[in-house]
Amino acid sequence: MNTFALEIWDDEGAKCTFYTVRWEDARHNETDKFFTKYDAVTELKSEIQKLLSFVLDSIGDDHGAIDILFNRFEQEVVGLPNKGKVNVGGIMFLYPNFPLRLYALRIKNRKDLVVLFNGGIKSAQTNQASKGLNLKWIEACQFARRIEEAIRDKEIIIDSKNRKLLAANGDEEIIL
């Protein structure tokens, strides 16, 4: 795997800080690439807005990265939005036949730290059979494995008090 940066994507939510990954030579991070690409597709505009609201409002501000909203397990990562009918505090989260998947990793299964990756269109029954999505899923799993390894090896430190990830030297810039 090539070198990538782990960087803050959104830290303004009341409940959760979101990180993303950016390849060393890339201009844009993976999460921005996902939202930019699918926001430009007219027939997916509504779905991409629903997904963005789910991430920033429902997870970021209202509930955090709680288990019930992170229930679509896809090996090392979770596919967003959630699977099935989910009731959180009287609010129903239901995304039947949702055409998009955005891959994510909850850091140490915490409710306040999430890494968002890329994703794509779920065009078949499985990720493996969904042509473009399969590659994004494989890539997300590779990123997740490397991030988890860096946490285990203490290359990345979790600053629980400030809801941040730091390099071992205390720096906010994390290169893996």
Side-chain angles (χ1 to χ4, degrees):
M1 177 164 243
N2 296 328
T3 304
F4 65 92
L6 185 60
E7 56 190 31
I8 290 176
W9 186 71
D10 181 274
D11 63 352
E12 296 179 12
K15 302 269 185 170
C16 188
T17 298
F18 295 100
Y19 280 79
T20 187
V21 293
R22 183 181 39 80
W23 288 111
E24 181 180 42
D25 57 351
R27 183 179 241 182
H28 301 285
N29 67 60
E30 291 301 302
T31 307
D32 285 347
K33 286 180 187 177
F34 171 81
F35 282 108
T36 301
K37 178 178 182 177
Y38 294 107
D39 190 52
V41 179
T42 305
E43 51 275 2
L44 293 174
K45 216 167 205 22
S46 173
E47 280 77 7
I48 204 73
Q49 291 303 316
K50 286 178 193 169
L51 187 54
L52 186 60
S53 175
F54 174 74
V55 169
L56 293 176
D57 299 332
S58 301
I59 297 169
D61 274 334
D62 299 337
H63 309 290
I66 57 176
D67 292 345
I68 202 164
L69 296 179
F70 280 70
N71 68 359
R72 188 184 299 275
F73 301 104
E74 316 230 2
Q75 290 186 7
E76 290 88 351
V77 295
V78 171
L80 297 176
N82 60 276
K83 165 170 85 167
K85 191 186 235 183
V86 172
N87 185 330
V88 181
I91 298 170
M92 193 62 64
F93 293 92
L94 179 61
Y95 301 93
N97 303 312
F98 199 76
L100 297 168
R101 288 291 178 277
L102 175 63
Y103 294 111
L105 170 69
R106 287 194 314 170
I107 298 296
K108 304 287 263 176
N109 286 323
R110 296 170 58 99
K111 296 176 185 154
D112 61 351
L113 288 169
V114 171
V115 180
L116 299 173
F117 301 109
N118 204 323
I121 297 174
K122 180 94 186 301
S123 59
Q125 197 66 23
T126 65
N127 288 342
Q128 293 83 354
S130 296
K131 192 176 177 184
L133 182 61
N134 186 43
L135 294 174
K136 295 302 179 189
W137 170 69
I138 290 168
E139 190 177 71
C141 288
Q142 290 172 337
F143 281 129
R145 279 193 295 273
R146 178 64 185 105
I147 291 165
E148 288 179 328
E149 173 187 299
I151 291 169
R152 253 190 331 273
D153 294 347
K154 304 213 183 323
E155 293 175 64
I156 296 175
I157 298 161
I158 299 170
D159 178 353
S160 297
K161 184 179 167 200
N162 295 307
R163 221 173 59 195
K164 285 190 172 192
L165 300 174
L166 302 170
N169 65 2
D171 195 351
E172 287 191 24
E173 182 179 52
I174 301 170
I175 307 293
L176 298 173

